[in-house]
Amino acid sequence: MKKFLILPLAFFVVLVVFLAVGLKRDPHEIPSPLINRAAPEFSLPTLSGTTPFSPSDYKGRVWMLNVWATWCVSCREEHPVLVAFAKQIGVPIVGLSYKEIQPQDDPEKKLSPESKLNLARSRGSVWLDRHGNPYTLSVMDLDGRVGIDYGVYGVPETYIIDKEGVIRYKQIGPVTPQILSDTLLPIIRGLENS
Amino acid sequence: MIAELGQFILVLALLVALVQCVLPMVGSLTQQHAWQFLARPTAWLQFVLVAGAYGCLLTGFLKDDFSIAYVAEHSNQLLPTAYKFAAVWGGHEGSLMLWVLMLSVWTSLVAYFSKSMPISVISRVLSVLGFISVGFILFILFTSNPFLRELPAPLEGRDLNPLLQDPGLVIHPPMLYMGYVGMSVAFSFAIAALITGRLDSAWSRWSRPWTVIAWAFLTLGIGLGSWWAYYELGWGGWWFWDPVENASLMPWLVCTALIHSLMVTEKRGGFKAWTVLLAIAAFSLSLLGTFLVRSGVLTSVHAFASDPTRGIFVLCFLAIVVGSSLTLFAWRAPKVTLGGTMGLLSRETFLLLNSVLLSVATAAVLLGTLYPLVIDALNLGKLSVGPPYFNVVFAPLMVPILFLLIPGTVAKWRSANLAEMFMHLKWTALISVMLGALLPFFVGEWSFGVFLGWTLGLWVGLGTLQHMLERVFKPGRIGGSFWGMHFAHLGLAIVVLGITGVKSFEVERDVKMAIGDEVTIKPYVFKLNSIDEVKGKNYTASQAQFEVFNSGQSVEILKPEKRHYLSSAMPMTEAAISSNLWRDLYVSMGDPLPGDAHQLSMRIYYKPFVPWLWVGVLIMVLGGVLAAFDRRYRRVSPNTALQTAGQALSGSELEGSDAVGGLMNQSALGEHSPQEQSDHAHGDPNSGAHVPS
């Protein structure tokens, strides 16, 4: 009889449908402008080795760049996944130790760049010894400049770089077993076979 | 042990809530009195249990029990004790506990202050509240349990987010939640009334004080949130149109409309379906806000860590609660009778316009908030809707609302006389326009925006004062709702004047400064004297010292800080602000500039009229409190109900200048009959809208 009184219900049903679809999306999934661009070049000291590492060293191979830090809490969630699946991933995983030394570690700003690097290396090694080391090698981005070049929003983040040195995928936030098997591994396999 | 105890008590609370939800409702539908009388004791028992569970969690915090994962994530041994109390609601799980605690507080208050209500009504109301409680306790137990242990326990907790370590944030969430959760009371009354089909004056009289007090809490909560953002975030902004802010603004707008619509329903028996819809909408929007904040569907600075299972749970709960209410509404509302006749020009018309405009404003905010989500869901890309949209859409809607406010308070019920109203208000209107046009010259640049904003603010403020003065000089007791309404309007006027002032005359400077440098804004000269390192309990900070001069005289020392909390990587900005009635001087430290150790970026703001926002909000809250505690809403025993009816009559006479005629028509006594059975037997169609079921 008064049919318009059903309108609020109809409006609400439409709203719920949109909210339900919205739930499946991730608003943080920002399309990165770096996708399908060449991975920015850098040369950084590694955690344990003596020679610095550059992305061009891995030309001709598919590899992963994983941003981590000992102070990063989500990394603790992600790390066991990387450790457990490192073999299955089957491509080199390069760790990018991001801004390991935080301002409050050095409030007086007295540490020299060398001692900062040493401190970061020892902290990183202890952490990897305890939690397992999935990385082929880890590079030390102390001042975060490389992070800026790669558009790092937060730690952890994971990049997949193809044989030509082009960034093909960027994962913001922790890698879960599901993301790994549904998204990352198919991309890696595809790039390896191309 | 304490965590297990807490969880056990929470499960007990769930069982009690189930009883409170099911038995009284069944009892009221099948006329089993004994079952209906279970409603009150179960409500109280539920409160005791929920408070006990909450107490267990709090004890975990106070004892630094880091084996409880939630405590380990949100507290720290160094955290000052006051913040340990606040840390309980610093994360998702604990804030839900607070939600449920607030709900049980509201429920027990309703159970206590409802002695004058028929048992069949109160048992339904408490049953609906019990249902909401069941939903939220299930949500906690299944997706967000704060009592989970993490063994082996970490030696130290991660600390409360430094952003939340602020006195403003200690009281902001409880106030906001009191408001949000308070919407559930108006909602429960509406649902109970829809179930019986008795949408009468008694129903609106019972809902009004609860709605008004929830509105006051919500107002205070939003005001505190804005105040916190202004003082703590260090950007000098007080409103960002962030999805989470919008989530609190939308229920506020609808609740404001509801308060006004309830008045028409109580006094004239009109707008019943509309009022019920507003009550449902206010609570639905509170739930929607909960969903938006906790599901991670929208990005926001406030958002809790997103978790799809939580999102699905809240969405299902939202769908059940709101879906069934709206279905009930669509089924029942067509049978609701219309209210008394109303003239084209009458107080009813103004209040209807107010409701409609506020609802349109809500719809505009809802659209802007959900638009990114809708576009994403339709695969049309990612975008965000920013302040420009909201400012463009929202401000023009406020203009008619403010303009119509004063004639609305002056107009008579049923039929008003335009010429009479014009004569009554012409001087106020003239003075408002003249002051609005002239004052900007004395403060700064004249612009149409400031003219319009100030004219409307003055119009609302002066019109309200005029009405208050006229009433004070008339004989008769003045009711709390009279003062309440006018204080709320006065507060609104002050907020409007303040917002216009700060938007039009603020000066913001982002500058590079070295020690000894000076910056001049308006009459003030800011000189950077020194930068020192200072230590707090759980942070270190660099602190700048500014001396402020006004025409050569040193008037103020400001000390903004950049804090590094020991347990967090993010540096926090602590702005230094000097306030007086007319302006804020606001200094906050930026980051050190790369490559130059001696220069720092500084934000130096001159913010006129900002204190007016906080004062205005407080006056609005005061208005809400005064209205809610009006004597005619006081709890009465059935044998004094008749007397109350008399009081109500005189009370409303004072509210509307010539409302007596209207009320006489309405047979006020009939509405107040103590026995439910006779409640709707009396009177004319205006009073009791009885729907045969």
Side-chain angles (χ1 to χ4, degrees), chain A residues 39-154:
Chain A
E41 196 54 34
F42 61 81
S43 177
L44 284 178
T46 57
L47 184 74
S48 46
T50 42
T51 44
F53 168 83
S54 296
S56 51
D57 297 355
Y58 276 157
K59 205 121 209 187
R61 307 180 70 172
V62 178
W63 57 289
M64 259 168 69
L65 183 72
N66 176 253
V67 185
W68 68 285
T70 64
W71 46 258
C72 150
V73 178
S74 312
C75 299
R76 280 172 220 173
E77 192 181 312
E78 174 188 72
H79 207 75
V81 180
L82 293 179
V83 172
F85 290 94
K87 274 238 172 63
Q88 209 182 328
I89 293 169
V91 296
I93 307 175
V94 175
L96 181 79
S97 162
Y98 180 70
K99 289 192 180 173
E100 179 55 45
I101 307 301
Q102 291 288 306
Q104 74 269 22
D105 297 332
D106 179 20
E108 323 268 295
K109 301 194 175 64
K110 278 183 184 154
L111 290 180
S112 67
E114 291 76 36
S115 45
K116 264 194 184 175
L117 182 60
N118 287 334
L119 180 60
R121 276 179 163 156
S122 60
R123 265 206 213 169
S125 311
V126 169
W127 197 79
L128 288 179
D129 283 347
R130 186 189 299 169
H131 297 275
N133 186 354
Y135 303 120
T136 321
L137 56 93
S138 246
V139 293
M140 313 300 292
D141 183 20
L142 282 175
D143 53 9
R145 297 248 167 109
V146 171
I148 293 173
D149 288 344
Y150 277 77
V152 171
Y153 286 101

Side-chain angles (χ1 to χ4, degrees), chain B residues 530-544:
Chain B
S530 62
I531 296 176
D532 308 299
E533 297 295 321
V534 293
K535 271 204 156 88
K537 192 175 176 193
N538 54 352
Y539 63 86
T540 59
S542 37
Q543 186 188 62

Side-chain angles (χ1 to χ4, degrees), chain B residues 393-436:
Chain B
V393 173
F394 198 71
L397 283 166
M398 290 300 111
V399 171
I401 289 183
L402 293 170
F403 171 72
L404 293 172
L405 192 154
I406 292 301
T409 57
V410 172
K412 290 173 187 163
W413 293 104
R414 280 154 67 82
S415 172
N417 184 329
L418 189 62
E420 212 174 86
M421 279 163 61
F422 176 77
M423 292 309 286
H424 190 175
L425 293 170
K426 65 179 176 194
W427 290 113
T428 310
L430 193 66
I431 294 170
S432 305
V433 174
M434 278 174 48
L435 283 177

Side-chain angles (χ1 to χ4, degrees), chain B residues 92-213:
Chain B
H92 164 78
E93 291 86 350
S95 67
L96 275 179
M97 284 295 291
L98 182 69
W99 219 102
V100 173
L101 179 68
M102 297 286 178
L103 182 60
S104 66
V105 170
W106 277 108
T107 309
S108 347
L109 288 175
V110 172
Y112 185 75
F113 290 104
S114 58
K115 298 280 159 62
S116 66
M117 290 169 54
I119 187 68
S120 65
V121 173
I122 192 64
S123 59
R124 284 185 195 114
V125 170
L126 292 177
S127 160
V128 176
L129 284 167
F131 179 75
I132 299 165
S133 188
V134 169
F136 272 88
I137 298 179
L138 282 175
F139 185 33
I140 294 180
L141 288 174
F142 283 115
T143 72
S144 329
N145 193 332
F147 296 112
L148 295 180
R149 294 273 191 192
E150 190 184 89
L151 295 170
L155 288 174
E156 181 58 287
R158 275 183 54 203
D159 204 0
L160 179 64
N161 182 348
L163 266 180
L164 307 182
Q165 295 188 25
D166 178 271
L169 253 247
V170 174
I171 37 176
H172 161 62
M175 291 301 123
L176 199 59
Y177 283 22
M178 277 302 271
Y180 270 156
V181 181
M183 297 298 142
S184 65
V185 179
F187 170 79
S188 305
F189 273 98
I191 294 300
L194 268 183
I195 291 174
T196 34
R198 286 187 46 236
L199 296 166
D200 50 18
S201 296
W203 156 66
S204 48
R205 191 190 313 280
W206 290 324
S207 321
R208 269 182 86 184
W210 297 104
T211 314
V212 171
I213 199 76

Side-chain angles (χ1 to χ4, degrees), chain B residues 391-392 394-403 429 431-440 445-461 493 495-501 504-505:
Chain B
N391 290 339
V392 163
F394 198 71
L397 283 166
M398 290 300 111
V399 171
I401 289 183
L402 293 170
F403 171 72
I431 294 170
S432 305
V433 174
M434 278 174 48
L435 283 177
L438 287 176
L439 282 178
E445 291 273 290
W446 195 91
S447 68
F448 182 71
V450 68
F451 161 68
L452 186 66
W454 276 3
T455 302
L456 286 168
L458 285 163
W459 166 240
V460 173
V495 170
V496 169
L497 291 172
I499 291 178
T500 311
S504 309
F505 301 117

